Every structure is written in structure tokens, then in C-alpha cells.
Amino acid sequence: MAEAHSAVAFSFAITHEGWDVNFDREVLHLVWQSGIRSWKKRLARFKNSIKNGVYPAPLQSLWGIVAIITGMNFSGQKTVANCVNRIVVHLPENTLGWQCAGCALLGVGTWLSITFSVRYTLKMLFMYKGWMYEQRGRGSRISWQTKLWLVMVKLFSAGSKPLLYSFQGSLPRLPLPAVQDTMKRYLRSVRPLLNDEDYSRMEKLAADFEKGIAKKLQWYLLLKSWWSTNYVSDWWEEYVYLRGRSPLMVNSNFYGIDAILMHPTHVQAARAASIIFCCLQYRRLIERQELEPILIQGLVPLCSWQYERVFNTTRVPGLETDRIVHYNDSNHIAVYHRGRYYKVIIYYKGRILKPCEIEVQIQQILDDDSIPAKGEEKLAALTASERSTWAETRKKFFFKGTNRQSLDAVEKAAFVVALDDVPYEYDEKDPSKMDNYGRILLHGKGYDRWFDKSFTLCIGTNGRIGFNAEHSWADAAIMSHLWEFVIVEEAAGLKLWADAPVMGHMWEFNFGTELEMGYDETGHTLGTPGFTPPAPIRLQWDLPAECLTTIENSCQLAQNLLNDVELRILVHTAYGKGFMKDCRTSPDAFIQMALQLAYFRDAGRFSLTYEASMTRLYREGRTETVRPCTIESSDWVKSMSDKNCSVEDRIKKFQKACEVHQMGYQDAMCGKGIDRHLFCLYVVSKYLEVDSPFLKEVLSEPWRLSTSQTPHGQTSRLDLKQYPKCISAGGGFGPVADDGYGVSYIIAGEDLLFFHITSKKSSPETNSNRFAQQIERALSDIKTLFLQWKDIQKQQKK
């Protein structure tokens, strides 16, 4: 493929004959269209911000109230007339026109008063969390308080259809727990991990902290909780993510896998084009705020703040701390293939390119036989290096000129696409292929993912897909929502075309996303390009010898890091959510108990366990830590190896452990967690330059078992009955501790579970394959336990 020449939109020169002006009409037209598009987006954002500011009141209600007040005024209603006359006194004159203006002002004031009263009432209602602690399901009873709350929420949110950010102003602030409550929860959480002597020492440290410096630290934190929107999120983002100097690859970034039960096409360019198109549709929904906000039980909204930075976002390295830079708009994506970078325009002639048009662009890149510039192939290894090294290199060699222009093309892209030169394989009979699939997405070759970007979309040669995402800008649930949307939209499009092939001739009409999706019998995207799409622009790099040396050093560091990772993906098909519900147990608590049993058998001891939960019931909430290793869970785990413990006792202990875990999860979601509070107290202590032996020890405790559940069902269109194969295999992350495990799991269906297990090969204490076997064994033993219990119950009934 020939390289694109730079186009000059406007130039002039002074000659002896006068002015010589040259301009390119097409380029100037593109500039004009870009400006028009930008202003349209600004107006749309302004309109949406007004709608969000007055939600749940529809704007039409304003005109209704103004009309009612105007009618009452001119019909002689004294109360209204007096109010209007008081306004007219301050207007230029008392004419019919100014009377109408006075009615309008009174109407606006009345409408705003009602609207903000409703918003404040809704905010107060969302502060109630009693509904979370009440049992749901058959035979459960709801308290009268919750029933009244349900009616009130439905009444006060029954106005206009909410936009993505409509509930932001109605969400309450994250509450600050009392130090005394946090201390009690903390001491209870570490009891199964410490012997009597160590526990007594920890009790003394906690008591000294609570009676001493804690009061002063809590006072400052209380002030912050009232002054800021969320007392945790900004510090969490800054100190846990952006100030980290370790490589992002493996240590921070996470990955997601395709819906492996589906394989709609083996054509790499076609699948890439369809998924790129779906991502762009999702971006448009966010920009227009047409994406449905997530409502728990259809009533309680989750904070949508993190969606702002899904696209057009990059993490820029710094010497001491990084920055998250988000651009309002981007009309291109960056594509990496066989060591070369391209800028691909995806918005052209007033619209987003169709899948068939994007496929043309992707195929041009795949057909390009040019060789990478010196150092270009492994350039992204800099983003996998130490952050300070990358910051220094960026400042020194990418600050101006050609390198700066090319770097801007990557960093300002909507997202990055990596067209890999290997297939992504899944074979039920060969689990190692699935493991390799996960490794490709987690770290690739160490230099073929731009780890700074919000996410890199990865496409295998056989048409399977995945992603690698940076973690600081948002939590995994946000990427899971995007990924679910992408998979569902593609599946919906495929089903629609399969059910109605006769509609193919109607391509030129706008029937929505679904009718622009699909593949023909050869695996290529459907439809015919409406025009020749803009050719991909090959990015140019000028990398001096010193920069090349840094790139090679960074690549070597990345290789050492990725070679130390052991990844095992366990596909559990014996049972899933269906059996867990039959046991009347929370599926998440069920799996966490299995992980506790598996870890105890693997390590011979209990360990501090991390499970991520969300705090998005509050404004700008991110995550909180649940501690699944409890007194009750350890008691049950021990009973599984106690021959003197009966089946009934084991079941009781299991159910109790699940109840305690569920309560801990609910507490974490409601702002009653342990770890974020202690973290913020620690940050305040550092600002005040005071030492706390208690906080220092708590914050230095290693999480040897770090777990997370991948959510699904966030898209209302996900119907597993209609699209049974439309579930992602989830994703994973690297181990948090050098001698620990990272375990991500997804409850994919009634009879399907996926576990992504990582550890470090350099640790003699861990082995991902061995731990996967222990998880499989634990799940089997729990099932056997419940089946034995059911048999005993049947015999007792007889």
C-alpha cells in the first residue's frame, strides 16, 4: 500500500509578482465539517446538561406550569395575580406583554422550586439502604419501610426518561464510617489469620490508634467528606494508580475475552470492522447520553461518572505521578499491525463509517507489505516499562516534531486496535489453547499493546477478539458493560439478518445498528461502501540511537515480567448458577467459599483475601474491599477436613459463612467497608506527617488471594434465552502479591463458570494449574455435600 502524502490545506508565498495563494478545497471542507460537528456536539451537551439538571421533571412540564399560571392570572385568581403584580412592579411597565413576562417568571420560579424539591427528596430516598439487607425471593417478606420507600422512589422518578447522567445530581455522597465501627470490623476480619498472641498485639495497636491520632485524622476526613463529592475516589485514583511507578502491564492492566461459544467469521478484517463499528456506536450513545443508566431492580441508579473516559482517553506518564488525559472528541483510531502504526479516520462525510467501509481500511493495512521503521515495532514496550523511564523518554524524544505528531495520533485516538498475527484459539479438549488466549490479551508480546490507552481492541487472525484495558480511568465493570454491548449488538445483528435475509437490499436506509451488522457466506461484512473510505495514514517515527536503546531495555524488562506470569483459565461445566440458587445461597458467596477451601488446601493456611465490590450507589463511587476470609468461613473450611463433623453441621457452617459474607458485601456497597476508610486515614496521616504503627501495618499486609467477579447483565438487551451463546468468557488480571494468586471469575450461565487464575512462576509457593485443580475439587466437594444433605432430608421425611 502506498503511503499517504501530507495534504496542505492553505499556503501562501510572496513573489515579485505579488501574493501567491494556494488552498485545497477538499481539506478546507473537511475542516469546516469538523467545526460544524464540534458545535453540534457542544449544543447537544448543553441541552443534555439542562435535562440532567432538572431531572426527573420533563422540560415540557415547564410550559404547562407557565400556561396554568398565565391562565389563573388573567382569570382573576387573586393569589396568583398578587404574585404576578409584585413581579411586574420591578418591570419597565404594566402592559399586557409585561404581565405575560411576569407570569412566565413566576412559572419558571415555581417550576424550579418543585423540580429541585423533587430532586432533593429523591436524593434523600436514595440514602436509604435498608432494602439491600432484606431477603429476596420466594417466601421472603418485605418490611413496611421498604414498601413505602419503593412507592416513593417510583413516584418521584416517574417523570421523563433518564439520560446516562440524569441521576448524578440525585446520588448521595459516600458516607464516612465511624472509626470505632471500622476498628471492630477490621479486628474481626483478621481474627482467623492471627494466633492469640499476634491478635492481642493487633488489638492493642488498634486501641492505641483509636484513642490517639485517629480522632484528629477522622476530623480532617469528615471535613473532606462534606467538602468533596466523594472522599475516597480522587485519592484512590491518585495514590493507588497514578503514583504507581511499576509497569502497567500485568501489574495493573486487565483483559477480557470474546464470547467463545460464538465464532461468526474467520475473516480478521471483517470481524475487526464490525467490532470497531460497535464500539463507535457505544461511544455515540455515551456522547448523546442515550446509554441507559444502570438501575438496580429497575429503581436504584448506579453512578455513571466513569463512562466519560471510556473513549478518547490516555494515561500520560510523569516522573512522579501520571495524568489521565481525556479529549472531548476524536475522529480516528490508531491501528497496530506487524510493527507498524496507522491513523485510521472513522468519521467521514458527516457520519461514522459503516462496517463494510471500515473493513476496506483494515484490509488495506493487512495487505501493506512495508517494513516497520527502526524501533517502531517495539515502541509500545515503553508503555510497558517503569513509568518514570517512559516519562523521561517521552519528554526527551517525543516532545516535538514527527514523533510528537505520531504520538498524538495514538494518544488522541478514540482507542487502539491491535491486529495480531496469531490466532486466538479455544478447544474444549485442549485447555492450554485457552490459557494462551488469555496470555495474548493480558500482555501479548510485551510491545504490541499500547498499555497507556483506555483500552486496546485485539483481533486474532482467525477473527476472535479480546481487549486489554488500563485500570486507572475506570473499574472493570465499565469495560464489561462496553464488552457486553459489543457482543450483544453483533449477535442481534447476526440474528436479524439470519431471520430476514430479504431485507439485504434495503441497506441504504437507516434501520439502526443491527441492520448494519452481519457477515455474508464468505465471512465478509454485509453491504456496499457508499464511497471510498479515507486510506489509513502510516505514522512516521524518527527514533535516535539513545531512544532505541531505551526501547530495547524496556522490551527486555517487559519480557522478564510476562515470562514470570503463569495463567490458567478453568472452564467449569459441572454446574453453575442454577445449582447454587437451588442451594438457596448467593452465587458469589458460594464461589468465595469454594476459593477459601481451595486456598487452604493449596497453601495449608488462611490468607488475607481481597474481593472487589462497587460503591457506585454513591456519587463518583468506585470500589470497596470485601474480606471473604472470615471467622465463619474459616470455621466451615476446617469442618470439611474434620471427620467428626456431620453433614448437617457442615451445611449449617457453610450457610452461616455465606450469610456473613453476603452481609460484608452489602456493607461494602453501602459505604461501611474497612479498607477505603483506613486508606484515607493513612493518606491524611502522611499529609500531617504523623506516623501510625497501626495504619502502617494494616496498609502493608499482602493480599495473597485477590479475587473479582466479572459482572454481566448490565445491558438490558442481553437475553441469554434468545442469545444463549452470547456470554463472554470474562477476563483476568495479574497477581497482586509475588507469592499470591489473582482470580477473576464470571458466572456465565446456569451450568457454566469461568475462572482466570494468575500467579508468578518465580514463587515456589504458588502454581496456577495446581490451584485450578483445587478450585475444581472444592466445587465438586460442595456439590457432593449438598447432595448428601438432600438425601438425608429425604430419608428424614420418610
Side-chain angles (χ1 to χ4, degrees):
M1 182 185 73
E3 293 183 6
H5 295 283
S6 299
V8 179
F10 180 83
S11 65
F12 69 92
I14 301 176
T15 66
H16 64 280
E17 297 179 353
W19 296 89
D20 183 18
V21 180
N22 294 308
F23 60 89
D24 189 312
R25 292 179 180 272
E26 183 178 357
V27 176
L28 288 179
H29 178 71
L30 289 175
V31 172
W32 171 260
Q33 289 294 327
S34 178
I36 294 295
R37 177 167 172 255
S38 177
W39 276 105
K40 283 183 177 179
K41 286 195 171 188
R42 290 182 188 180
L43 290 173
R45 280 195 289 266
F46 177 73
K47 181 180 178 182
N48 287 336
S49 63
I50 292 177
K51 287 183 178 180
N52 291 332
V54 299
Y55 183 85
L59 286 175
Q60 295 87 336
S61 62
L62 170 61
W63 318 126
I65 289 180
V66 169
I68 290 171
I69 289 178
T70 303
M72 292 175 69
N73 176 63
F74 288 107
S75 65
Q77 185 71 31
K78 292 184 178 180
T79 304
V80 175
N82 288 338
C83 293
V84 172
N85 289 332
R86 289 177 183 176
I87 295 173
V88 172
V89 169
H90 301 283
L91 298 178
E93 52 188 23
N94 191 358
T95 61
L96 179 63
W98 288 112
Q99 279 278 333
C100 291
C103 292
L105 288 173
L106 180 60
V108 170
T110 304
W111 181 75
L112 288 175
S113 299
I114 296 172
T115 297
F116 285 105
S117 296
V118 170
R119 282 172 63 87
Y120 186 77
T121 303
L122 199 58
K123 189 171 186 175
M124 297 297 291
L125 288 170
F126 288 148
M127 291 176 70
Y128 173 72
K129 296 294 183 290
W131 60 273
M132 282 199 63
Y133 295 92
E134 296 186 4
Q135 293 183 353
R136 292 180 289 275
R138 290 179 298 176
S140 60
R141 297 183 62 183
I142 302 176
S143 66
W144 68 267
Q145 294 95 332
T146 300
K147 289 180 180 178
L148 177 61
W149 172 82
L150 286 169
V151 172
M152 294 287 285
V153 171
K154 287 181 179 180
L155 178 66
F156 282 95
S157 58
S160 56
K161 182 181 178 181
L163 299 174
L164 179 60
Y165 304 127
S166 289
F167 288 105
Q168 292 300 99
S170 300
L171 290 173
R173 298 172 185 267
L174 182 68
L176 178 66
V179 173
Q180 184 180 7
D181 294 340
T182 300
M183 292 297 100
K184 287 180 180 178
R185 294 192 186 100
Y186 172 77
L187 290 172
R188 199 175 193 284
S189 73
V190 297
R191 186 64 189 95
L193 308 174
L194 304 174
N195 57 36
D196 293 343
E197 182 181 348
D198 289 337
Y199 183 72
S200 297
R201 185 182 64 85
M202 184 56 72
E203 276 187 315
K204 185 178 183 306
L205 283 174
D208 292 342
F209 172 72
E210 187 178 342
K211 294 175 184 177
I213 191 64
K215 294 179 182 179
K216 183 177 182 181
L217 301 181
Q218 179 77 350
W219 188 89
Y220 280 103
L221 205 54
L222 181 64
L223 186 64
K224 184 176 190 282
S225 72
W226 281 100
W227 178 251
S228 60
T229 308
N230 188 296
Y231 79 92
V232 175
S233 292
D234 57 340
W235 283 353
W236 185 253
E237 184 176 289
E238 175 74 15
Y239 295 106
V240 172
Y241 291 115
L242 299 181
R243 283 187 180 267
R245 301 294 85 196
S246 300
L248 300 182
M249 185 187 74
V250 176
N251 295 319
S252 179
N253 285 30
F254 59 95
Y255 70 90
I257 286 183
D258 199 358
I260 58 173
L261 301 179
M262 295 172 54
H263 200 169
T265 179
H266 287 75
V267 180
Q268 186 178 22
R271 190 78 194 282
S274 291
I275 301 305
I276 290 169
F277 177 77
C278 280
C279 289
L280 296 174
Q281 293 297 317
Y282 191 82
R283 184 179 75 155
R284 185 166 66 175
L285 290 177
I286 292 176
E287 289 174 343
R288 297 179 176 181
Q289 297 190 33
E290 294 172 355
L291 187 68
E292 295 178 11
I294 298 176
L295 303 177
I296 297 179
Q297 297 184 358
L299 284 176
V300 185
L302 298 184
C303 178
S304 301
W305 160 67
Q306 297 179 58
Y307 287 91
E308 294 178 359
R309 302 188 292 191
V310 176
F311 298 95
N312 322 330
T313 300
T314 193
R315 175 170 168 172
V316 176
L319 293 176
E320 295 182 359
T321 182
D322 294 353
R323 294 181 296 121
I324 298 176
V325 178
H326 172 71
Y327 302 95
N328 287 330
D329 192 20
S330 177
N331 68 346
H332 74 277
I333 59 173
V335 178
Y336 176 87
H337 176 60
R338 290 185 178 176
R340 303 154 305 176
Y341 286 89
Y342 301 85
K343 178 180 179 179
V344 179
I345 305 298
I346 41 81
Y347 194 95
Y348 188 66
K349 291 193 175 181
R351 66 170 173 83
I352 296 172
L353 299 185
K354 296 177 182 178
C356 59
E357 294 161 347
I358 298 175
E359 184 182 354
V360 172
Q361 297 174 310
I362 299 299
Q363 193 61 51
Q364 286 178 316
I365 293 173
L366 294 174
D367 294 340
D368 184 8
D369 58 1
S370 63
I371 61 173
K374 199 169 183 179
E376 182 181 12
E377 181 180 11
K378 299 181 179 180
L379 179 63
L382 291 171
T383 67
S385 181
E386 299 282 347
R387 302 305 293 170
S388 299
T389 301
W390 173 210
E392 292 173 354
T393 306
R394 188 178 188 276
K395 185 177 181 180
K396 192 170 184 179
F397 301 109
F398 297 87
F399 186 71
K400 59 183 179 180
T402 302
N403 291 343
R404 180 56 184 265
Q405 292 177 0
S406 295
L407 181 64
D408 279 350
V410 175
E411 293 186 337
K412 293 181 179 180
F415 52 92
V416 173
V417 177
L419 301 172
D420 284 344
D421 53 6
V422 294
Y424 300 168
E425 297 178 301
Y426 166 65
D427 186 349
E428 292 182 16
K429 299 178 181 178
D430 186 0
S432 65
K433 290 185 177 180
M434 188 70 168
D435 299 344
N436 188 54
Y437 192 165
R439 287 179 63 87
I440 290 171
L441 298 175
L442 176 62
H443 50 64
K445 299 175 182 177
Y447 55 79
D448 53 355
R449 310 279 180 263
W450 199 271
F451 294 102
D452 286 358
K453 282 297 289 183
S454 54
F455 71 95
T456 298
L457 180 63
C458 308
I459 318 291
T461 55
N462 60 346
R464 288 201 182 276
I465 60 172
F467 69 82
N468 180 287
E470 203 276 317
H471 210 328
S472 63
W473 62 272
D475 300 312
I478 307 302
M479 272 306 300
S480 296
H481 193 176
L482 164 63
W483 203 237
E484 188 176 294
F485 174 89
V486 164
I487 292 172
V488 170
E489 285 297 304
E490 185 181 43
L494 291 171
K495 187 176 187 301
L496 190 59
W497 279 106
D499 292 345
V502 296
M503 296 181 69
H505 68 281
M506 302 169 72
W507 177 270
E508 65 271 14
F509 297 100
N510 181 21
F511 286 105
T513 305
E514 298 89 347
L515 288 183
E516 295 179 326
M517 301 294 296
Y519 307 96
D520 60 23
E521 60 277 1
T522 64
H524 292 278
T525 52
L526 293 167
T528 303
F531 47 75
T532 302
I537 302 169
R538 174 76 185 275
L539 300 184
Q540 304 298 313
W541 308 92
D542 182 15
L543 307 173
E546 186 180 349
C547 184
L548 295 175
T549 301
T550 306
I551 292 172
E552 284 299 323
N553 292 339
S554 298
C555 188
Q556 187 58 54
L557 186 150
Q559 292 299 314
N560 295 339
L561 185 58
L562 67 88
N563 286 335
D564 194 28
V565 176
E566 183 181 16
L567 172 62
R568 174 80 174 87
I569 300 178
L570 170 64
V571 184
H572 180 80
T573 56
Y575 65 91
K577 181 170 60 176
F579 177 77
M580 298 173 191
K581 287 186 174 180
D582 286 342
C583 298
R584 296 188 178 181
T585 306
S586 157
D588 181 72
F590 190 104
I591 291 178
Q592 284 294 334
M593 294 307 108
L595 291 175
Q596 287 300 306
L597 179 58
Y599 186 85
F600 183 77
R601 288 171 171 175
D602 182 78
R605 66 176 187 274
F606 295 106
S607 176
L608 191 62
T609 306
Y610 181 106
E611 182 188 5
S613 78
M614 60 90 176
T615 56
R616 289 170 58 202
L617 291 169
Y618 301 95
R619 191 167 183 179
E620 295 186 14
R622 290 198 59 162
T623 60
E624 177 58 274
T625 304
V626 182
R627 296 185 168 215
C629 184
T630 60
I631 296 171
E632 290 75 16
S633 68
S634 61
D635 190 26
W636 168 74
V637 168
K638 291 175 183 176
S639 75
M640 292 297 287
S641 57
D642 184 358
K643 296 180 181 179
N644 297 322
C645 191
S646 65
V647 171
E648 291 92 337
D649 287 341
R650 288 174 180 172
I651 288 291
K652 288 179 182 178
K653 291 177 184 291
F654 180 85
Q655 291 174 336
K656 180 63 177 176
C658 288
E659 288 175 9
V660 171
H661 175 80
Q662 189 70 4
M663 179 68 74
Y665 201 98
Q666 291 163 340
D667 283 344
M669 289 181 65
C670 294
K672 300 176 186 176
I674 300 168
D675 293 275
R676 297 300 179 269
H677 185 200
L678 294 178
F679 163 76
C680 289
L681 290 171
Y682 180 75
V683 173
V684 175
S685 73
K686 286 300 179 183
Y687 275 120
L688 297 178
E689 297 182 343
V690 294
D691 282 332
S692 168
F694 171 76
L695 289 176
K696 188 177 292 185
E697 184 160 340
V698 170
L699 271 295
S700 63
E701 293 171 344
W703 300 96
R704 290 191 174 89
L705 182 56
S706 181
T707 70
S708 178
Q709 179 184 173
T710 302
H712 66 89
Q714 299 183 86
T715 301
S716 60
R717 294 186 60 181
L718 179 60
D719 184 353
L720 293 179
K721 292 181 179 179
Q722 188 176 7
Y723 311 114
K725 297 182 179 180
C726 198
I727 186 73
S728 167
F733 52 89
V736 174
D738 291 338
D739 57 348
Y741 293 107
V743 181
S744 176
Y745 55 92
I746 181 170
I747 305 170
E750 298 299 308
D751 297 299
L752 183 61
L753 305 171
F754 290 97
F755 293 86
H756 300 250
I757 307 154
T758 58
S759 62
K760 291 194 175 182
K761 296 177 182 177
S762 57
S763 171
E765 298 183 19
T766 56
N767 182 290
S768 294
N769 188 57
R770 185 183 71 213
F771 193 56
Q773 293 173 358
Q774 292 289 9
I775 293 174
E776 193 80 80
R777 179 188 166 196
L779 290 169
S780 177
D781 287 352
I782 297 174
K783 181 178 182 180
T784 302
L785 178 65
F786 271 95
L787 292 177
Q788 290 174 345
W789 182 52
K790 288 181 180 180
D791 288 340
I792 292 172
Q793 286 183 318
K794 287 180 182 178
Q795 292 175 4
Q796 289 175 347
K797 287 181 180 179
K798 290 180 180 179

